[in-house]
Amino acid sequence: MDEEEIDKAVMAYLRKKGFKEAERVLQEEQNRVSSVGSRSDPEIAKQILTFAESGDGPLRYHEGYSKLRTWSYSSLDLYKDELLRVLYPVFIHCFMDLVAKGYVQEARRFFNCFRDDHEMMHKRDLQKFEGILTPSHLEEMEFACALRQSKVNIKLCQYSYELLLQYLQKTQSLTMLGIINEHINFKVSPGHPSSISDDADAVSLIGSSQDIAKQVNQKEVHWGLLEDSIEERFEKHGGLLSDSEKVDGENKEADGEDKKRPVEGNKQGASAKKMKKDKVVGAVGKNVRSETTTVSVAPRVKPELKLPVMPPDEEQSILEDLRNRVQISSLALPSVSFYTFINTHNGLNCSAVSHDGALVAGGFSDSSLKVWDMSKIGQQAGSINTQGENEPSLNGHVLGSDERKQPYTLFQGHAGPVYAASFSPRGDYILSSSSDATIRLWSNKLNANLVCYKGHNYPVWDVQFSPVGHYFASSSHDRTARIWSMDRIQPLRIMAGHLSDVDCVQWHPNCNYIATGSSDKTVRLWDVHSGECVRIFIGHRSMVLSLAMSPDGRYMASGDEDGSIMMWDLSTGRCITPLVGHTSCVWSLAFSCEGTLLASGSADCTVKLWDVTASTKISKTEESRSGSGSRLRSLKTLPTKSTPVYNLRFSRRNLLFATGALSKGV
């Protein structure tokens, strides 16, 4: 049989067996031979035929992956980190190929033999694949189908890529070569190899195609702030409330506000407070203009939603807070007022703090929602961690469950655990979401449930009021996010596109967009008016649990289950920098009012403060040289007393509130 007959036989066999990648390789070889006129490797057809004939044997997957794994781990340390990136996608596709071909028992043995290598980085994925027991399960699982239809992007330096090719050619590991060709897209870069911590996009194993993400990210995003906002009017008038107000009247109002808000600021006596105030008063007036240069330079956009009319008393309250705002930076870090829940018996699922810290809410597994009014609670604050005078501190407030000692309002109505709570901007309403697939609106003035919103089909993991109130967003196990208004019981918009649970949701400052984080490891930005996805952010390696928007609306931070945080540029959809430091889930993120600092709260019982300014203000020259932004600098780590951090929030005066439940007995 001559070479042409061999080729025809191989092609027919490959079509019959469905080896599309091997068929493509052979076709390319034939095209090359026809163009060159000679055959440099006469054995290629025979090799592919051998590959096809042995295709029914599951042992080749185990042996091929085992050899690739051994070679990768024995590589030089300089290139090992990059070469190890190839193992996980090859492992997953070997497993899915075995299941698809009907070798279920062999697939389980293969999965259990090598799963420990990937348990730390991809635990969530492995848990999903554990439920695949038959080929029909594989076809019904959308996440698996999406992975089989898309490619993984892996970044390697030139030399690492050449080493991998040499290994595949030398070992003639056609099984591994076929999987790599079909499911991995290498991005080869010149220069030295980079570690995974240096490049957030080194491996992008996602349920969404990279091509789809690129296409979506071409859409225009108006990331500016709302025109004619109260903050803009405040800055235009140089920080003055109004011409008719006198200084004495302002001082009296400020004193009154301080009495109303006993939790804001350190409780270190009148003399200490006066010294601190003297240091800050001059800076406040000076920094109004500096804030103007950072926040006010953002473009102004028109609202897509009909915004509610702000009552005069609320407007005056906001103006008062803006006038008394303390400007913080890497040189003047904020204080942290920490509310600790005790005796929760692992029943606390979520917490929330009103914008001024006067109200604190907790959602519990017994279907209850409890709200504490801090003005009714005595000064029972105990110092958890105290730093120097110019250093941040954690001031503790203990919230118990005994109503005789700790007065709270009990809201009951849900039929399942409460997973999220959110205060309205004024603090007069609070939303709660539950595993009973409903969202409830409660009145803090009437202490009653006003509305029950039904629309989701499964548990609602998160709910958030918009910055202007009236509208709110929710996210659910049904893989959708929804936009609601307080006066309608049906959702205004449904955002569908995630491949798994939508775990968290966050509003953009201009209310024209919402961001959603999902268990499919992606973050999406949605246009509220059209319900269309306008950005897909790819880079996380575990489920996304928390989101935060910068005050100017340009940047977004997202935190995941592994403890990683990423900063994104909404205008480009690009990851500016990863933040590495937490050792467990990042449950909450918050930007300071002028956007200079980012606070992160984690299950590792710490609050971390990050310098945003140093990372986002990168010259275009540096950006083009490095290809990505420099990493955010960690300014301070504030540990708690065995208290995981559930929630963070900056007040309008730039005091940082934090909440958590004590994880062991006092």
Side-chain angles (χ1 to χ4, degrees):
M1 181 182 290
D2 59 18
E3 293 178 351
E4 185 177 357
E5 291 176 343
I6 292 177
D7 288 348
K8 289 181 180 179
V10 171
M11 293 286 283
Y13 188 91
L14 294 177
R15 291 193 188 97
K16 180 180 178 181
K17 291 296 185 180
F19 295 111
K20 296 180 180 179
E21 187 63 20
E23 181 182 348
R24 182 186 64 79
V25 172
L26 181 58
Q27 185 65 53
E28 290 180 355
E29 175 64 14
Q30 287 178 329
N31 294 337
R32 187 187 64 78
V33 171
S34 61
S35 63
V36 174
S38 61
R39 193 181 185 100
S40 59
D41 188 2
E43 297 298 321
I44 185 168
K46 295 180 181 179
Q47 290 177 2
I48 296 177
L49 181 59
T50 303
F51 163 76
E53 291 174 342
S54 63
D56 295 333
L59 186 60
R60 63 190 176 90
Y61 286 94
H62 192 287
E63 291 181 348
Y65 179 80
S66 180
K67 291 178 181 178
L68 177 63
R69 175 181 177 273
T70 302
W71 175 79
S72 299
Y73 276 102
S74 61
S75 300
L76 292 174
D77 291 341
L78 183 62
Y79 305 101
K80 183 188 296 186
D81 285 340
E82 287 196 335
L83 295 172
L84 289 176
R85 298 171 185 170
V86 180
L87 291 182
Y88 180 62
V90 172
F91 165 75
I92 287 298
H93 284 288
C94 283
F95 169 73
M96 291 192 292
D97 280 359
L98 286 170
V99 174
K101 295 178 186 301
Y103 300 113
V104 178
Q105 296 299 326
E106 291 83 352
R108 301 312 306 174
R109 285 195 290 269
F110 175 84
F111 186 82
N112 294 327
C113 182
F114 300 110
R115 67 170 296 169
D116 290 344
D117 294 343
H118 315 290
E119 190 77 28
M120 181 178 296
M121 295 296 295
H122 305 282
K123 182 177 181 180
R124 188 80 175 183
D125 279 353
L126 298 179
Q127 290 173 346
K128 295 177 182 178
F129 286 115
E130 280 180 335
I132 298 178
L133 303 177
T134 64
S136 61
H137 290 169
L138 190 68
E139 295 174 359
E140 294 168 0
M141 184 177 177
E142 289 190 29
F143 181 64
C145 292
L147 289 178
R148 289 172 67 82
Q149 294 171 4
S150 61
K151 282 196 171 186
V152 182
N153 280 339
I154 297 182
K155 289 186 177 180
L156 298 177
C157 73
Q158 183 67 38
Y159 192 70
S160 296
Y161 180 67
E162 292 175 356
L163 286 175
L164 179 62
L165 290 183
Q166 290 174 9
Y167 165 79
L168 294 173
Q169 293 172 359
K170 182 178 179 181
T171 60
Q172 295 185 355
S173 182
L174 295 176
T175 305
M176 297 297 102
L177 180 60
I179 291 177
I180 290 173
N181 278 343
E182 188 170 0
H183 298 292
I184 297 180
N185 178 37
F186 291 106
K187 292 186 175 181
V188 182
S189 59
H192 298 289
S194 60
S195 64
I196 291 180
S197 60
D198 290 332
D199 191 349
D201 296 323
V203 180
S204 301
L205 185 61
I206 57 167
S208 299
S209 169
Q210 287 281 355
D211 295 334
I212 295 177
K214 289 180 180 179
Q215 185 178 0
V216 170
N217 291 349
Q218 296 298 319
K219 298 176 182 178
E220 188 176 6
V221 170
H222 302 286
W223 56 266
L225 301 179
L226 288 177
E227 59 185 17
D228 197 33
S229 64
I230 187 170
E231 290 86 355
E232 184 179 16
R233 296 199 304 270
F234 176 78
E235 292 164 357
K236 284 182 178 179
H237 289 83
L240 299 177
L241 294 178
S242 66
D243 296 335
S244 60
E245 288 178 306
K246 297 182 180 180
V247 176
D248 292 339
E250 292 176 349
N251 290 337
K252 290 180 181 179
E253 262 187 22
D255 292 339
E257 288 291 323
D258 289 338
K259 292 178 182 178
K260 290 180 184 177
R261 300 188 179 112
V263 299
E264 291 211 21
N266 294 331
K267 312 299 184 294
Q268 297 177 352
S271 60
K273 184 180 284 188
K274 186 177 186 301
M275 289 176 62
K276 185 175 181 181
K277 187 175 181 181
D278 291 338
K279 290 183 177 181
V280 173
V281 164
V284 170
K286 295 177 181 178
N287 287 343
V288 167
R289 287 190 175 83
S290 67
E291 182 184 344
T292 302
T293 61
T294 57
V295 176
S296 297
V297 293
R300 303 295 159 170
V301 298
K302 294 182 179 180
E304 298 290 345
L305 296 173
K306 185 178 179 180
L307 301 183
V309 178
M310 184 179 296
D313 58 337
E314 182 181 358
E315 185 172 343
Q316 288 300 319
S317 175
I318 295 175
L319 287 170
E320 185 67 23
D321 287 336
L322 293 176
R323 189 180 66 83
N324 288 280
R325 176 179 293 172
V326 176
Q327 302 301 310
I328 59 178
S329 65
S330 59
L331 300 177
L333 300 180
S335 292
V336 185
S337 184
F338 201 102
Y339 299 99
T340 304
F341 292 81
I342 61 172
N343 300 323
T344 62
H345 308 293
N346 296 323
L348 182 70
N349 295 323
C350 63
S351 59
V353 182
S354 62
H355 74 89
D356 57 359
L359 299 174
V360 181
F364 294 85
S365 295
D366 62 1
S367 307
S368 67
L369 177 71
K370 299 176 182 179
V371 178
W372 283 261
D373 188 340
M374 300 306 295
S375 65
K376 298 179 182 179
I377 296 179
Q379 298 298 321
Q380 301 177 15
S383 177
I384 292 180
N385 182 29
T386 305
Q387 309 295 333
E389 186 175 353
N390 293 325
E391 297 292 331
S393 62
L394 285 171
N395 300 323
H397 302 265
V398 179
L399 304 178
S401 58
D402 190 342
E403 192 169 8
R404 293 169 298 178
K405 297 180 181 179
Q406 307 284 352
Y408 60 82
T409 302
L410 176 63
F411 294 113
Q412 290 181 309
H414 283 294
V418 178
Y419 289 127
S422 176
F423 283 100
S424 64
R426 298 185 68 185
D428 48 352
Y429 299 105
I430 184 172
L431 288 164
S432 60
S433 64
S434 167
S435 67
D436 62 11
T438 67
I439 303 164
R440 289 182 179 266
L441 177 69
W442 311 85
S443 171
N444 289 320
K445 293 182 178 179
L446 302 176
N447 295 335
N449 180 221
L450 302 181
V451 189
C452 179
Y453 302 94
K454 298 179 180 180
H456 287 289
N457 302 317
Y458 292 95
V460 184
W461 301 130
D462 196 12
V463 63
Q464 292 291 331
F465 259 113
S466 75
V468 297
H470 187 67
Y471 300 101
F472 59 93
S474 60
S475 61
S476 169
H477 176 62
D478 63 14
R479 297 178 291 187
T480 68
R482 304 182 185 221
I483 304 294
W484 311 72
S485 64
M486 292 173 60
D487 57 350
R488 297 188 182 184
I489 60 174
Q490 297 298 326
L492 305 178
R493 294 284 185 276
I494 299 177
M495 283 71 171
H498 281 292
L499 300 174
S500 188
D501 299 34
V502 184
D503 298 297
C504 54
V505 63
Q506 186 61 254
W507 284 85
H508 191 275
N510 64 24
C511 299
N512 291 338
Y513 304 96
I514 65 165
T516 55
S518 170
S519 295
D520 66 10
K521 306 178 187 177
T522 68
V523 180
R524 291 175 179 248
L525 189 70
W526 307 84
D527 188 309
V528 171
H529 180 68
S530 64
E532 183 182 17
C533 179
V534 294
R535 286 289 181 274
I536 301 177
F537 303 96
I538 298 170
H540 283 286
R541 300 182 194 172
S542 59
M543 59 189 297
V544 182
L545 300 176
S546 55
L547 297 166
M549 294 284 185
S550 65
D552 63 358
R554 181 174 182 179
Y555 302 105
M556 176 180 66
S558 56
D560 64 25
E561 188 181 32
D562 291 338
S564 299
I565 305 170
M566 293 188 178
M567 278 280 287
W568 308 92
D569 187 334
L570 297 186
S571 60
T572 63
R574 185 179 61 87
C575 178
I576 300 174
T577 176
L579 287 69
V580 179
H582 285 294
T583 58
S584 188
C585 309
V586 179
W587 281 337
S588 185
L589 295 165
F591 279 93
S592 62
C593 294
E594 63 284 296
T596 56
L597 298 182
L598 175 69
S600 58
S602 171
D604 63 11
C605 302
T606 64
V607 174
K608 288 183 178 290
L609 301 174
W610 309 84
D611 185 2
V612 175
T613 308
S615 182
T616 55
K617 291 185 177 180
I618 303 173
S619 67
K620 293 184 179 180
T621 303
E622 293 174 345
E623 189 172 322
S624 61
R625 287 177 181 174
S626 61
S628 62
S630 59
R631 181 170 303 151
L632 264 72
R633 183 164 60 100
S634 178
L635 298 173
K636 198 72 179 179
T637 299
L638 302 172
T640 67
K641 289 184 177 179
S642 301
T643 304
V645 183
Y646 282 43
N647 183 261
L648 294 172
R649 176 166 193 161
F650 275 96
S651 72
R652 294 195 190 104
R653 300 189 180 190
N654 255 344
L655 174 64
L656 180 58
F657 297 111
T659 60
L662 193 65
S663 59
K664 63 182 181 180
V666 179

